[in-house]
Amino acid sequence: KITRADFMQALANDIKPAFGVSAEDFELYIRNGILLWSQTIRDVLEEGHLRINQTIKSEMTPLVTILLEGKPNSGKTALAAKIAMESGFPFLKFCSPQTMIGYTETAKCESIKKIFNDAYKSELSCVVVDDIESLLDYAPIGPRFSNFVLQTLKLLFRKLPPKGRKLLLIATTSEKDIIKEMGLMQSFSKVIHVPNVSRGVEILQVIEQLDCFSKKELDYLSKELRNKSLSIGVKSLLDCIELSKQATDVYRTAKFLSALEEIGGLHDGDY
Ligand code: ATP
Ligand code: MG
């Protein structure tokens, strides 16, 4: 038998608002936090704050659009979610290809349009359009993509919200050149580069903040990594750390270094 208590329980736990903020969705994308491994990450967040303020304060720009661009695994989605959450806007929505798996082109366009139309109903909104190239079904062989979705995004990225409404749009991509070729680049007021971790000292920043190695291991890694270079996305770096945790104590640092070599091409010097 369903009682009032069940109903209240469902209301509190199971029922999500149709529009408005669902903060837990956003937190999912920042599962491992945001590590400040270099000044550039602070700069990305700072640029985000600037654009949030611009959306709130400027009379002339009711639509502010930013694109976070970087290699796969560099942390674009997490940074976009972080900036969106920090806006504190009453309407936040995540538009992700993962929630549209198996959709037809038409269904995809309808569901993207709905997100924007819902956003226009709030005075201040922030919409994240994650992984644009996947949303477009982009495939490098061919190359192929959905022109229907492309035209929809193009229109939505330029459409001004109704009078008195403001929208901050944050998009992400790993395919900056493709986005440019498709003519989507002009839609953005600011393009922000999300860098890969590229220096040994930056790795040390990450592992110190995570507290994942003992003091002795840290000392050793510090010596090994100090003058090294590589290129690895923060998401892959976290994977390497997880992997090394599975090794027995004596092999842990060796496992970590070999993973960095394999995935990030860790090598001596030159920076
Ligand atoms: P993909 O190319 O697959 O879309 P991505 O670039 O979007 O990957 P994310 O999915 O954002 O990468 O993964 C980044 C992960 O690293 C998240 O779990 C996040 O919590 C964590 N992380 C830690 N520090 C940072 C940071 N400084 N910036 C971004 N993400 C970070
Ligand atoms: Mg992503």
Side-chain angles (χ1 to χ4, degrees):
K1 187 171 134 247
I2 297 166
T3 63
R4 182 170 188 279
D6 295 326
F7 184 71
M8 297 314 280
Q9 161 83 15
L11 205 58
N13 298 303
D14 304 331
I15 297 170
K16 304 281 180 305
F19 27 83
V21 189
S22 41
E24 51 191 289
D25 285 357
F26 277 76
E27 268 153 24
L28 265 179
Y29 298 104
I30 325 174
R31 210 169 312 129
N32 303 304
I34 300 289
L35 298 160
L36 300 171
W37 53 266
S38 122
Q39 180 59 34
T40 51
I41 296 305
R42 290 189 192 90
D43 293 344
V44 171
L45 294 173
E46 184 54 37
E47 184 65 40
H49 287 153
L50 222 65
R51 299 294 160 172
I52 291 167
N53 287 337
Q54 185 189 357
T55 315
I56 298 169
K57 288 183 189 141
S58 169
E59 299 296 323
M60 286 180 345
T61 50
L63 173 66
V64 174
T65 51
I66 58 183
L67 176 67
L68 296 180
E69 131 330 270
K71 299 227 171 86
N73 304 318
S74 58
K76 306 168 298 293
T77 303
L79 286 167
K82 178 79 177 169
I83 294 170
M85 279 184 73
E86 290 197 335
S87 76
F89 289 179
F91 181 98
L92 302 180
K93 199 84 189 181
F94 214 93
C95 173
S96 148
Q98 278 153 321
T99 62
M100 300 185 195
I101 296 169
Y103 280 31
T104 62
E105 276 185 309
T106 325
K108 213 183 254 184
C109 289
E110 284 310 313
S111 107
I112 300 170
K113 267 193 259 173
K114 179 163 186 336
I115 291 176
F116 279 80
N117 281 328
D118 287 345
Y120 299 145
K121 291 174 192 155
S122 163
E123 222 168 282
L124 276 172
S125 316
C126 176
V127 172
V128 176
V129 180
D130 194 29
D131 215 345
I132 315 181
E133 68 275 13
S134 304
L135 216 51
L136 291 169
D137 282 323
Y138 171 73
I141 11 171
R144 300 169 50 90
F145 64 93
S146 158
N147 195 39
F148 196 36
V149 178
L150 175 62
Q151 298 311 324
T152 303
L153 287 184
K154 249 186 202 168
L155 290 173
L156 289 173
F157 285 5
R158 289 167 169 224
K159 182 172 167 181
L160 295 180
K163 208 167 169 19
R165 308 291 153 87
K166 291 163 162 197
L167 174 64
L168 172 64
L169 168 79
I170 308 173
T172 77
T173 183
S174 310
E175 298 279 0
K176 188 179 71 170
D177 296 341
I178 303 299
I179 296 305
K180 200 181 243 168
E181 262 181 67
M182 288 175 174
L184 268 177
M185 214 59 161
Q186 297 102 298
S187 312
F188 296 100
S189 31
K190 177 77 185 176
V191 178
I192 305 171
H193 176 61
V194 178
N196 262 2
V197 176
S198 61
R199 303 167 58 185
V201 284
E202 295 168 343
I203 295 179
L204 293 173
Q205 284 290 322
V206 169
I207 57 183
E208 275 165 24
Q209 285 177 50
L210 284 177
D211 210 16
C212 47
F213 288 104
S214 70
K215 178 81 181 62
K216 201 173 144 214
E217 287 168 332
L218 271 181
D219 285 344
Y220 172 71
L221 286 172
S222 167
K223 268 192 226 94
E224 283 295 311
L225 288 170
R226 202 175 294 147
N227 295 310
K228 295 265 166 78
S229 297
L230 78 171
S231 178
I232 192 171
V234 70
K235 189 157 80 178
S236 315
L237 176 56
L238 295 177
D239 280 344
C240 292
I241 293 169
E242 278 307 306
L243 183 72
S244 67
K245 277 189 193 163
Q246 310 310 318
T248 42
D249 289 3
V250 274
Y251 296 117
R252 194 163 293 155
T253 52
K255 186 86 194 162
F256 182 53
L257 289 171
S258 75
L260 290 179
E261 265 166 44
E262 196 178 316
I263 296 166
L266 186 71
H267 62 277
D268 284 331
D270 67 52
Y271 57 81

